[in-house]
Amino acid sequence: MAETPPDAPVPPHPAATLILLRDGVDGLELLTIERHAGLRFAPGATVFPGGRLEAADHDPVWRTSWPTVETAAGPPADLPHRVAAVRECLEECGILLAPERSDPPGPSAVAALRAALAAGEGFGTALAAAGLAPALDRMAALARWVTPETLPRRFDTLFFLAPTPPGQAPLCDGGEAVAAQWASPRRLLAEAAAGRRRLVFATRMTLLRLAGCADVADALACAAAGPQPPPPILPVPVETPAGPVFRIPAGCGFSPLETPAENVRLG
């Protein structure tokens, strides 16, 4: 295999993120987690649950978890990403995206699932042993963000939206996620602007896009209105008189004013 040239960008890892939604008193709320301050990637940042894909996420057995109806076209091409997003959400904040009419896993079941995954058991096997199944069809792809080429750790991440399953509350693992919070996009952005919260670029842009959604139905409609599958968005660092910014192309759905390019500060 050819070696990567010294100045070439680090190849991004395929990854997936799950943004759980609910209707709150002040409108749309999202579940975010605070990453452990000792992590190498985005330490202490407020993010959505997620992580890189694993080999087992590509297992053909997951196709049997997709609902089969006469009008269905079959599992989507992003099925492994959906599996990874659901798995990571369970591992980090203890919530399983399950079918609406299923019994939610309690704290002891979540702990058992986490222990099984930590011991190397497959996600599908662990769920089946607990009598649980994922609701992979309840997810809507919102965007695909690629980490800028200038950074040493890079991910090519599909961002999914899904209504939060009833009867479950976040239980952080304490390793990657040390806290969880339900909040509106506008509140999270305001706290970041006040210096009380750190947001990575893709999280900030996602909050800006969802800030105009009134409720869960509105947010899901926002995702459905975009191109499917979502095209990759690769921010490019640009020096300006005001300092370095990231630039993204127009028409990708994340430029609030749909100007030729949207500039957002790196910090």
Side-chain angles (χ1 to χ4, degrees):
M1 183 173 65
E3 295 185 359
T4 301
D7 296 331
V10 175
H13 297 286
T17 289
L18 180 58
I19 306 173
L20 292 177
L21 315 170
R22 76 176 187 184
D23 291 327
V25 176
D26 297 323
L28 177 67
E29 293 183 341
L30 320 175
L31 180 65
T32 59
I33 58 174
E34 180 181 334
R35 287 175 60 80
H36 194 286
L39 296 174
R40 291 176 59 192
F41 181 77
T46 294
V47 298
F48 306 111
R52 67 173 65 188
L53 269 66
E54 297 180 353
D57 298 329
H58 296 271
D59 193 323
V61 72
W62 289 110
R63 298 180 66 86
T64 64
S65 298
W66 191 258
T68 55
V69 294
E70 292 182 0
T71 57
D78 63 16
L79 186 61
H81 289 79
R82 293 170 182 251
V83 174
V86 173
R87 173 179 51 75
E88 288 284 343
C89 186
L90 174 70
E91 290 180 331
E92 293 179 353
C93 63
I95 293 181
L96 174 66
L97 184 62
E100 282 189 287
R101 294 179 178 83
S102 62
D103 293 329
S108 60
V110 170
L113 286 168
R114 282 174 165 165
L117 293 174
E121 188 171 337
F123 185 36
T125 302
L127 287 177
L132 299 168
L136 302 175
D137 61 320
R138 298 190 68 201
M139 308 163 68
L142 176 70
R144 179 183 169 189
W145 285 97
V146 183
T147 308
E149 295 180 342
T150 53
L151 299 182
R153 290 175 63 81
R154 303 184 63 223
F155 299 91
D156 184 344
T157 308
L158 269 177
F159 280 60
F160 293 98
L161 304 180
T164 188
Q168 299 188 56
L171 298 167
C172 291
D173 64 358
E176 291 190 57
V178 296
Q181 178 185 21
W182 286 101
S184 70
R186 294 183 184 275
R187 175 183 169 186
L188 293 167
L189 289 166
E191 291 176 353
R196 298 196 300 273
R197 189 175 298 280
R198 181 191 171 202
L199 301 175
V200 297
F201 181 78
T203 302
R204 184 187 302 275
M205 296 304 290
T206 300
L207 293 174
L208 285 169
R209 181 168 179 180
L210 296 177
C213 297
D215 51 26
V216 172
D218 201 11
L220 293 175
C222 176
Q228 297 295 326
I233 305 173
L234 176 63
V236 177
V238 177
E239 290 291 338
T240 72
V245 298
F246 279 136
R247 178 168 292 162
I248 59 176
C252 66
F254 285 82
S255 181
L257 300 179
E258 289 301 322
T259 53
E262 172 65 15
N263 294 344
V264 179
R265 293 189 177 278
L266 293 172

